[in-house]
Amino acid sequence: MAAIPPTSSDNAAPADAATGAVGSPSFTPAFSPLYQQIKVLMLQSLQSGEWKPSAAIPSELELAARFKVSQGTVRKAIDELAAENLLVRRQGKGTFVATHAEHHVQYRFLKLFPDNGDPNSEGPAQRKIIDCKRLRASAEVARALALRPADAVLQVRRVLSFAGVPTILEDLWLPGTPFKGLTAERLAGYDGPMYALFETEFGVRMVRAEEKIRAVLPDADQCKLLHTTAQTPLLSVERTAYTYNDTPMEMRRGLYLTDTHYYRNALN
């Protein structure tokens, strides 16, 4: 891991003259705050697997010595990674790599809440795997996952129910190579969130997602799985989820019944 040379200020530092980068050939712009350069190097350690989910990272003092910068600069980099849910600070214990198995993280991407506003009032969602099959990527899926048309993907369909009522129908597509060995039985037998399974058994951690939301009417198959009618409007949520380095790892299309639930998103 490259070290950052000392500079006269923690606010800005020049990138490496030969590569135009610090620790990464794609790092831009040429000048950036020093803590941002440290953040890039720390992201590399996360992406490479040097620091694994749930493991403690080195202390601020150790990282400051490693990168040859002040402890305050390291702290600012950690603050940003914690704000992005990539690291978790634990009072008196240190800083750890976030994992989707943690309760406060595992439902970060599930935004549907009961009308009473209490996400714990219904208990965890009941999951039913309808299908998990390997097929060739359509043009739409290939484009979303940065694959070549006809590359292998896995398509999963499942229903999420709350208090026994089918509420969400999801179809998701995953690149075939990173998820080799994923089966319907493996999904059904895992007791935690799906993203925690991806993280612990396939080494893929979803760190951010982009969504498009619109209202739609269901087709016959969707009506059957959600126990609804063709005249019932559904909320369609189309998501692309990314791992480190903005690599797309999942395309997901969810249909949400909102007669007793609402979709909530906090904007910062």
Side-chain angles (χ1 to χ4, degrees):
M1 180 66 69
I4 301 294
T7 64
S8 59
S9 169
D10 278 357
N11 292 325
D16 182 84
T19 64
V22 175
S24 169
S26 62
F27 187 78
T28 56
F31 291 87
S32 64
L34 185 54
Y35 77 91
Q36 288 282 356
Q37 299 181 49
I38 300 303
K39 179 183 174 183
V40 168
L41 295 179
M42 293 179 70
L43 278 169
Q44 289 179 350
S45 292
L46 290 167
Q47 184 177 0
S48 69
E50 177 188 353
W51 303 334
K52 299 187 182 300
S54 77
I57 70 169
S59 68
E60 291 179 1
L61 199 59
E62 291 171 316
L63 290 171
R66 172 175 173 171
F67 298 132
K68 295 182 172 59
V69 296
S70 73
Q71 193 173 342
T73 298
V74 169
R75 186 176 299 119
K76 288 182 70 175
I78 291 176
D79 285 344
E80 284 215 350
L81 292 169
E84 295 170 9
N85 295 296
L86 301 183
L87 297 177
V88 177
R89 292 187 185 275
R90 293 179 183 155
Q91 187 67 33
K93 295 182 179 180
T95 302
F96 296 77
V97 181
T99 168
H100 285 286
E102 295 185 47
H103 181 73
H104 76 283
V105 173
Q106 61 183 249
Y107 296 115
R108 180 160 63 97
F109 294 101
L110 181 58
K111 303 293 187 181
L112 201 67
F113 287 80
D115 284 344
N116 65 17
D118 181 5
N120 298 312
S121 63
E122 299 172 312
Q126 300 94 53
R127 297 161 297 178
K128 180 180 180 181
I129 304 299
I130 306 299
D131 202 4
C132 178
K133 57 188 177 184
R134 195 174 184 90
L135 45 85
R136 297 295 177 184
S138 67
E140 178 189 16
V141 171
R143 185 166 54 252
L145 296 179
L147 301 173
R148 294 173 300 181
D151 275 357
V153 295
L154 283 169
Q155 181 179 359
V156 177
R157 170 169 276 198
R158 68 174 184 170
V159 173
L160 301 181
S161 299
F162 295 92
V165 179
T167 306
I168 305 173
L169 170 62
E170 291 185 322
D171 287 292
L172 52 142
W173 294 263
L174 306 164
T177 300
F179 292 96
K180 185 177 181 181
L182 182 64
T183 63
E185 292 74 22
R186 204 166 179 182
L187 286 166
Y190 188 78
D191 196 35
M194 186 178 285
Y195 280 176
L197 171 68
F198 295 169
E199 177 182 273
T200 57
E201 298 196 24
F202 297 92
V204 176
R205 173 165 166 73
M206 305 301 185
V207 299
R208 73 176 190 89
E210 295 177 356
E211 293 183 337
K212 295 185 292 186
I213 302 175
R214 59 174 61 110
V216 299
L217 291 174
D219 62 25
D221 286 342
Q222 294 162 352
C223 287
K224 183 177 179 180
L225 290 168
L226 287 175
H227 301 176
T228 191
T229 69
Q231 290 74 42
T232 303
L234 303 177
L235 195 64
S236 170
V237 181
E238 299 179 13
R239 174 195 302 169
T240 303
Y242 300 83
T243 186
Y244 300 112
N245 205 30
D246 273 349
T247 302
M249 278 290 176
E250 178 199 59
M251 174 183 167
R252 182 182 300 216
R253 184 173 292 123
L255 296 177
Y256 293 63
L257 276 169
T258 57
D259 51 344
T260 59
H261 292 74
Y262 62 92
Y263 195 92
R264 186 178 76 182
N265 200 9
L267 304 177
N268 296 321

